[in-house]
Amino acid sequence: MHTKLVNQNLPSTCPTDLIPTNETIPANQPPPKLYAEVVVNIPLNKIFHYSIPPHLRDSLTVGMRVKIPFGNKIITGFCVGFTDIPFTGKTKDIISVIDTFPLTDALMLKITKWLSSHYCCGWGEAISAVIPPVVRSRTKEKWDAFVKCCGRLAELDDKTLLQIKTRAPKQAKALEILLTISGRVGISRCDTEDNRNNSPLSSSSKGGIEGEISAKELINMSGCKMPVLRQLEKKGFITIANRLVDAVNASCNDPLQPHLTFTPEQQNAYDVINKKLAQPKPGVILIHGVTGSGKTEIYLQTIAKVIEQGRKVIFLVPEISLTSQTIQRIKARFNNVAVLHSHLLGTFHHSQWSDIKEGKVDIVIGARSAIFAPLKNVGLIIMDEEHENTYKQENSPRYNARDIAIFRAGCENAMVILGTATPSLESYYNATIGNYEKVVLSKRIGGRQLPPVDIVDMTEEAHKRRGYNIISQRLEYYMNQALAKNEQVILFLNRRGFAPYIHCKRCGFVLKCSRCDIPMTFHKKLGTTLCHYCHAEQHPPESCPDCMINRINYRGFGTEKIEDEIASRFPNYKIVRMDSDSMRVRDTHEKVLTAFGRGEIQILLGTQMIAKGLDFPNVTLVGVISADTMLNLPDFRSSERTFQLILQVAGRTGRGPKGGRVVVQSFNPRHYSITYAAAHDYGGFARKELEYRKQLNYPPFGKLARIVFRSRQEDRAKEKSLSVADKLKEMVKANENHLEILGPSPAPVTRINNMFRWHLLLKAQDYESIHDAVQGVADILKPSKSVQAVVDVDPYMML
């Protein structure tokens, strides 16, 4: 085994010039198969050479996985090429070839090689991100066990459940989860018998409560094992049946719907897209359309045009919760549609990936990882809500799907459409200077007006009412009006749980996570406090651990507390909470949104998963409970995210003939991100924010990288960060690099999961300077037992 360091100094790349030159994909005639070039899934960008035994030379091709000796271990690597001249010295033999066909082709190897160089990670890490785990595990089973609720579960009361919890806690845990998916617990807050029977997640009948979950998922969530479920089956609470996974996810056979007629603005946008599609390299088009302006119809008719040309389409959405709605819309117009995202059941995930690779699919829909779909002859990549930070992966490889989409489109001479009502400032700037084509949709379909936005100053509200109230008088007034007319309300708060922190009124004690430098969040439904970083759990104290006085206070509010508040003020209306706590069960969000669309739910409360993509004409009021949750974060993008969230959630109302209204509550009502959002003035906000960014050389004017140092000993993390900073400063003094170095300093969240964190920021005018700087300190950044260093190019999270 020998190593070669891959050159990370690719030509300068950025979102404006990601489209590569006409570089040819490697030829079909490789060098003699004497030695294999292998990469492994480690954070080092190295290629290793291995000898190929004669009996494996015919079976091994580029893109396959191999078993190799690596130090004193046997691990899996990816074959990325061949050579007849190894590095000097003796090479080790490949042990075996794992695959019977290549998992990656030449195009995907090219994409992953660029990804590893641009985002400063290992090539093996990049390839591992491309191939779903279920494919790497070679899952072939087509049947899964599913658990269904029986009649006895409908008769289960709290007293019986408590008895079961005492004797068999794991059985009780499984029953509680089943009650949740059946609508009895944690979903609906209206406790009448009629509302329980009409739960969005269940349909009551003489046979009992309907509600289904895979046995694997129930086991993972409850911590029990299959024998526990068999005991519940014997007791008559559940039935367990094996079912075809494909049958569970079968698509309907309804006739395809015709296309809709364009408005003049839509037609103009479509004409621009058609003109660009006719060019050899169509490039990137930014569709900047207000909410409800008909961007989706443009997407659909452009997809039809591309498929007519015999090419394929990738459609990316920012949230897995939005895929179901997108799937319904696309399957209503097209056949041969596949879905790719991490929440798919394993066997179905495997079959979808295989169908795509075998050329059975024309359209792939999914979240960010779908950009790596093994689809041939891609002619169009659509990124809906392109501004969303969920397109950026927060673990290695830390790629941005938007940049991968632009690079892939350049390789395949495809078009990229970026669509949003609130473009990221990077995309807006690139369109302004001509790197992207830009089309604007300034009007809603049907001539409907954008909803008026009322800003409520919560400081004045507190003075008027002699105390703080979570729901302002104005919001409560408009809620009463809307609900009295049988209209629907959406309430938005980007903070889950019941109380963000617990403190002692007497001595000021705050309950913090023992492993992280943040307060614990109280979750009333679970009766416990949770750390939202390391997921540690702790029972809430009844008295202060420091002063022993019983003056513990639950401060702040999250979606759980808002749910209680709304339920007490509006007891006759059904409220459903949508956040990552209540939507843990697969397909729950889809069932809730379906019920909301049918009018079975009057008030929908949630976090950012309800802030985008929802289209319900009967929603006439949107309330933003607190516009300040994002605004006060120590992040240069906090104003941009606040503006985007308010404008996006405001767009969920006023989509029908009844019109709509938005109420925004804030303690900082005169901040420009809030006032511009209230005026629906994207241009004004962008000009002001870009002015600040330019002064500080933040993106899009400068390029940014963040290096985080993590260690169980804070001194070690600090020492490593200082040594890297000193080396970088030496490079700057020697004029080797035009670089600005900020830090090092403790990260805003100094400790996560018992790992102390220090960080520094690198600013430069181009990516080449960033890459050169990282390459210059590569030896110091190598992982060790005591300190881990993480490089994040174009960081989206600064905490």
Side-chain angles (χ1 to χ4, degrees):
M1 176 184 73
H2 293 277
T3 66
K4 177 175 77 174
L5 183 63
V6 175
N7 179 20
Q8 294 191 13
N9 300 328
L10 290 185
S12 175
T13 55
C14 66
T16 67
D17 58 1
L18 291 175
I19 299 176
T21 58
N22 288 325
E23 181 183 337
T24 58
I25 291 175
N28 292 326
Q29 296 181 349
K33 295 182 179 180
L34 299 178
Y35 302 95
E37 295 180 327
V38 178
V39 295
V40 295
N41 187 8
I42 59 174
L44 289 176
N45 212 352
K46 288 186 176 182
I47 291 177
F48 301 87
H49 280 181
Y50 284 84
S51 300
I52 308 174
H55 69 282
L56 296 179
R57 288 175 186 169
D58 291 337
S59 59
L60 180 60
T61 61
V62 171
M64 289 182 175
R65 292 173 300 162
V66 291
K67 287 287 184 185
I68 53 171
F70 195 81
N72 59 358
K73 299 179 181 177
I74 304 297
I75 65 170
T76 298
F78 298 93
C79 177
V80 296
F82 300 103
T83 182
D84 57 347
I85 304 174
F87 306 125
T88 57
K90 185 178 179 181
T91 60
K92 294 181 180 180
D93 286 348
I94 289 175
I95 297 171
S96 63
V97 177
I98 297 174
D99 304 306
T100 57
F101 61 89
L103 297 184
T104 59
D105 58 12
L107 170 64
M108 203 52 63
L109 288 176
K110 180 178 180 179
I111 291 171
T112 52
K113 186 174 183 179
W114 176 85
L115 188 158
S116 66
S117 298
H118 183 69
Y119 291 103
C120 302
C121 66
W123 193 359
E125 288 182 295
I127 296 175
S128 294
V130 166
I131 306 169
V134 67
V135 175
R136 296 200 298 269
S137 64
R138 297 189 294 179
T139 302
K140 294 182 180 178
E141 299 81 11
K142 295 298 180 184
W143 295 78
D144 266 348
F146 282 83
V147 176
K148 190 174 181 180
C149 307
C150 287
R152 191 178 175 196
L153 188 64
E155 302 165 2
L156 184 65
D157 56 28
D158 292 342
K159 183 178 179 181
T160 306
L161 183 60
L162 184 60
Q163 292 173 350
I164 296 173
K165 186 178 289 189
T166 304
R167 299 194 309 267
K170 289 187 177 179
Q171 289 185 24
K173 180 68 174 176
L175 288 174
E176 286 175 346
I177 292 170
L178 289 169
L179 287 169
T180 297
I181 71 168
S182 69
R184 281 267 305 276
V185 176
I187 299 295
S188 173
R189 288 304 312 271
C190 193
D191 295 330
T192 64
E193 185 66 28
D194 288 341
N195 282 330
R196 285 200 299 269
N197 292 340
N198 290 312
S199 167
L201 305 182
S202 63
S203 178
S204 183
S205 67
K206 291 181 181 180
I209 302 173
E210 285 189 14
E212 200 173 67
I213 183 173
S214 75
K216 289 180 181 177
E217 192 170 5
L218 181 56
I219 287 168
N220 288 336
M221 293 176 64
S222 64
C224 69
K225 295 184 179 179
M226 200 64 188
V228 173
L229 300 186
R230 294 294 181 193
Q231 287 295 320
L232 292 176
E233 186 178 31
K234 287 181 181 179
K235 294 176 180 179
F237 290 116
I238 63 173
T239 58
I240 302 174
N242 290 326
R243 294 177 58 180
L244 272 171
V245 176
D246 284 3
V248 175
N249 295 277
S251 59
C252 65
N253 295 316
D254 294 337
L256 298 179
Q257 296 177 1
H259 294 311
L260 303 178
T261 303
F262 281 146
T263 65
E265 276 193 332
Q266 286 177 310
Q267 186 64 55
N268 176 66
Y270 183 70
D271 292 341
V272 171
I273 291 169
N274 259 336
K275 185 177 179 181
K276 294 285 287 184
L277 275 174
Q279 298 177 7
K281 284 190 170 292
V284 183
I285 290 184
L286 173 64
I287 300 181
H288 183 186
V290 298
T291 54
S293 59
K295 295 184 288 293
T296 302
E297 186 62 29
I298 297 173
Y299 300 156
L300 295 174
Q301 296 199 31
T302 305
I303 289 171
K305 183 73 174 179
V306 170
I307 292 177
E308 280 178 14
Q309 297 171 350
R311 305 194 72 184
K312 308 295 180 72
V313 178
I314 297 175
F315 195 119
L316 300 180
V317 294
E319 296 271 1
I320 291 173
S321 61
L322 295 179
T323 55
S324 60
Q325 293 180 303
T326 306
I327 292 164
Q328 290 170 8
R329 291 173 179 173
I330 292 180
K331 283 190 174 181
R333 304 278 185 98
F334 305 99
N335 294 313
N336 305 324
V337 178
V339 183
L340 275 186
H341 58 72
S342 59
H343 284 202
L344 294 176
L345 288 172
T347 48
F348 184 65
H349 196 166
H350 188 280
S351 67
Q352 292 282 276
W353 190 89
S354 298
D355 286 347
I356 295 166
K357 189 170 180 63
E358 292 166 12
K360 300 177 182 178
V361 169
D362 292 328
I363 305 169
V364 175
I365 307 167
R368 62 174 177 263
S369 61
I371 191 58
F372 300 118
L375 198 63
K376 307 288 186 185
N377 193 24
V378 172
L380 174 66
I381 301 173
I382 296 171
M383 285 190 69
D384 194 25
E385 310 293 358
E386 69 84 26
H387 65 279
E388 284 293 331
N389 65 328
T390 49
Y391 283 122
K392 169 75 171 173
Q393 178 147 306
E394 292 303 327
N395 56 342
S396 189
R398 292 170 170 78
Y399 66 88
N400 190 317
R402 180 188 61 209
D403 297 347
I404 303 296
I406 295 172
F407 184 83
R408 177 171 185 170
C411 292
E412 300 197 69
N413 296 327
M415 170 182 283
V416 176
I417 294 179
L418 308 175
T420 178
T422 53
S424 64
L425 288 176
E426 290 85 349
S427 294
Y428 176 80
Y429 181 73
N430 281 321
T432 302
I433 63 177
N435 290 319
Y436 300 167
E437 187 84 25
K438 180 184 176 183
V439 292
V440 176
L441 303 175
S442 61
K443 300 175 183 176
R444 282 187 159 186
I445 297 295
R448 297 188 178 97
Q449 298 299 308
L450 291 168
V453 179
D454 291 9
I455 302 176
V456 178
D457 186 338
M458 296 304 286
T459 303
E460 287 186 9
E461 180 84 7
H463 286 312
K464 287 180 182 177
R465 302 175 71 177
R466 297 183 180 180
Y468 178 67
N469 287 268
I470 299 174
I471 305 298
S472 64
Q473 289 179 321
R474 198 178 316 180
L475 178 56
E476 185 173 9
Y477 170 76
Y478 285 127
M479 287 182 68
N480 278 312
Q481 277 197 330
L483 294 170
K485 298 175 187 175
N486 293 321
E487 297 166 354
Q488 291 170 296
V489 177
I490 289 179
L491 299 177
F492 170 78
L493 176 66
N494 204 28
R495 184 192 294 134
R496 60 192 176 96
F498 187 87
Y501 66 100
I502 299 172
H503 88 126
C504 174
K505 289 183 177 180
R506 181 177 183 273
C507 70
F509 163 83
V510 174
L511 181 67
K512 289 191 174 184
C513 175
S514 61
R515 299 186 296 194
C516 304
D517 189 32
I518 62 164
M520 300 285 277
T521 299
F522 176 60
H523 288 251
K524 185 178 179 180
K525 297 287 188 305
L526 300 174
T528 188
T529 62
L530 296 176
C531 173
H532 287 177
Y533 281 81
C534 73
H535 310 295
E537 187 173 341
Q538 184 176 338
H539 189 74
E542 295 180 2
S543 59
C544 177
D546 283 0
C547 68
M548 308 306 292
I549 300 298
N550 187 15
R551 298 196 67 184
I552 288 294
N553 191 25
Y554 294 83
R555 298 300 301 269
F557 52 88
T559 49
E560 276 192 17
K561 190 169 185 177
I562 301 298
E563 184 184 20
D564 279 355
E565 182 82 7
I566 297 300
S568 65
R569 295 196 190 194
F570 302 92
N572 298 321
Y573 300 98
K574 182 180 287 188
I575 175 174
V576 171
R577 173 169 53 90
M578 284 190 70
D579 55 28
S580 57
D581 295 325
S582 61
M583 300 288 112
R584 290 187 302 163
V585 179
R586 192 184 307 275
D587 297 332
T588 305
H589 56 269
E590 181 179 349
K591 294 173 183 176
V592 168
L593 293 178
T594 300
F596 190 67
R598 291 198 300 258
E600 297 170 10
I601 301 164
Q602 288 75 50
I603 304 170
L604 184 64
L605 163 69
T607 54
Q608 61 183 5
M609 65 172 61
I610 67 167
K612 63 189 83 70
L614 304 184
D615 189 351
F616 298 109
N618 197 41
V619 173
T620 60
L621 177 65
V622 165
V624 179
I625 303 298
S626 175
D628 308 323
T629 52
M630 298 288 293
L631 197 58
N632 298 322
L633 293 177
D635 189 330
F636 74 92
R637 285 191 173 94
S638 62
S639 295
E640 181 183 9
R641 288 177 182 163
T642 299
F643 173 85
Q644 289 169 339
L645 273 173
I646 293 174
L647 211 59
Q648 286 288 337
V649 75
R652 300 315 105 206
T653 187
R655 289 173 173 254
K658 298 178 182 178
R661 179 178 294 276
V662 183
V663 177
V664 177
Q665 301 182 163
S666 173
F667 283 97
N668 195 1
R670 283 169 285 280
H671 192 279
Y672 64 93
S673 64
I674 296 175
T675 56
Y676 279 121
H680 300 280
D681 185 2
Y682 177 88
F685 169 79
R687 287 188 293 272
K688 191 173 190 68
E689 182 68 13
L690 285 172
E691 182 183 333
Y692 292 146
R693 297 273 185 97
K694 189 173 185 179
Q695 291 173 4
L696 298 171
N697 198 32
Y698 276 118
F701 302 100
K703 311 307 175 189
L704 198 65
R706 183 187 187 214
I707 306 178
V708 180
F709 304 88
R710 302 184 299 202
S711 175
R712 294 194 179 278
Q713 298 174 292
E714 185 173 13
D715 290 345
R716 295 286 182 90
K718 179 180 179 180
E719 181 183 341
K720 178 63 74 76
S721 66
L722 288 170
S723 63
V724 170
D726 289 342
K727 176 67 174 178
L728 290 170
K729 290 172 183 176
E730 288 177 11
M731 293 168 59
V732 172
K733 286 182 181 178
N735 293 322
E736 296 178 15
N737 205 312
H738 300 288
L739 198 70
E740 183 181 355
I741 303 162
L742 302 179
S745 64
V749 181
T750 308
R751 185 167 56 105
I752 296 178
N753 205 11
N754 283 330
M755 299 290 281
F756 290 93
R757 306 163 74 247
W758 278 63
H759 71 156
L760 58 85
L761 292 178
L762 309 181
K763 283 187 192 177
Q765 289 302 118
D766 51 57
Y767 286 117
E768 186 176 5
S769 297
I770 295 286
H771 296 152
D772 287 347
V774 174
Q775 185 69 24
V777 294
D779 289 340
I780 311 177
L781 293 177
K782 284 181 181 178
S784 65
K785 291 182 179 180
S786 59
V787 183
Q788 300 170 3
V790 175
V791 179
D792 189 1
V793 177
D794 293 328
Y796 268 56
M797 295 297 292
M798 306 297 289
L799 298 180

